[in-house]
Amino acid sequence: MDQGLFYAVCAAGVLFLMFRRRKGQPRRSLFRRPPSNEPAEGANSMPRIGVPHTVTIEQLDQLEQFSFPRERSWSREEADLIIDSVVYLRGVCAETIDDPEPELRIQNELLKTILTEQDLRDYVRAWGEKRRAEGKQGTDPRPMQHNNQYERIQRAIRQLAGP
């Protein structure tokens, strides 16, 4: 009888150690896939660039002016890209619909378009780097260069803003 009780207590202890939850860690599943840095197939997302958590206070202040939360996990490069994208799309909005600050819904849709389409993202990134190299600061990029990327954003603005 004592031997059976001993085995039962040992089995219960082993099961407890195997299935106990650690503080702050979610319960692991045997059948769940491990997390991946790759976006799901077909997902609209901007790939991560730069070193995370390197965003500057000045960038956070400017992002906050553009209605973004103060998110410290961004890299300097990601913050620059987002700031450049908002400045670019607001410049196109100013020339297209005479409104340099479109409603947040329109801004977010245009931002999504720029950040998820590789060629637009690359163009705006290079455009922003060139502006910084030339010492151009501020949020009014006009006059804008009219090219294929400009026309694509302009078409998107017209679709979102309506007639």
Side-chain angles (χ1 to χ4, degrees):
M1 186 76 173
D2 289 320
Q3 195 174 17
L5 182 61
F6 174 76
Y7 286 127
V9 169
C10 286
V14 168
L15 288 173
F16 172 76
L17 291 175
M18 286 177 52
F19 293 108
R20 73 181 170 134
R21 289 180 60 175
R22 293 189 179 106
K23 288 183 183 177
Q25 292 183 354
R27 181 174 278 167
R28 292 183 290 177
S29 171
L30 297 175
F31 302 106
R32 193 178 333 176
R33 286 187 185 172
S36 170
N37 288 337
E38 298 297 319
E41 193 170 317
N44 290 332
S45 63
M46 177 184 89
R48 300 297 306 254
I49 55 175
V51 178
H53 304 285
T54 56
V55 64
T56 66
I57 299 299
E58 292 81 20
Q59 288 173 319
L60 287 173
D61 291 342
Q62 193 165 8
L63 286 165
E64 195 170 42
Q65 290 175 353
F66 292 151
S67 303
F68 285 89
R70 293 182 76 84
E71 181 62 49
R72 298 280 313 168
S73 66
W74 284 330
S75 69
R76 272 184 269 136
E77 295 83 1
E78 289 168 335
D80 277 341
L81 178 57
I82 293 168
I83 291 166
D84 294 340
S85 297
V86 172
V87 170
Y88 185 82
L89 71 86
R90 285 184 172 189
V92 179
C93 283
E95 291 184 356
T96 303
I97 59 174
D98 287 331
D99 187 1
E101 292 189 27
E103 60 183 81
L104 199 55
R105 174 188 64 85
I106 293 174
Q107 176 179 298
N108 289 343
E109 281 299 316
L110 294 172
L111 189 61
K112 177 182 170 187
T113 300
I114 291 171
L115 296 178
T116 59
E117 294 185 23
Q118 179 74 41
D119 64 319
L120 285 174
R121 185 173 58 242
D122 291 344
Y123 174 77
V124 170
R125 186 174 182 189
W127 175 84
E129 288 172 356
K130 181 180 175 191
R131 284 187 78 223
R132 280 188 295 283
E134 292 172 353
K136 294 181 180 176
Q137 300 295 325
T139 58
D140 189 1
R142 292 177 288 175
M144 304 282 295
Q145 178 183 356
H146 292 233
N147 55 19
N148 181 41
Q149 289 80 8
Y150 179 93
E151 291 170 7
R152 286 170 57 195
I153 298 301
Q154 191 176 46
R155 276 194 305 272
I157 291 169
R158 287 186 177 133
Q159 285 177 345
L160 292 166

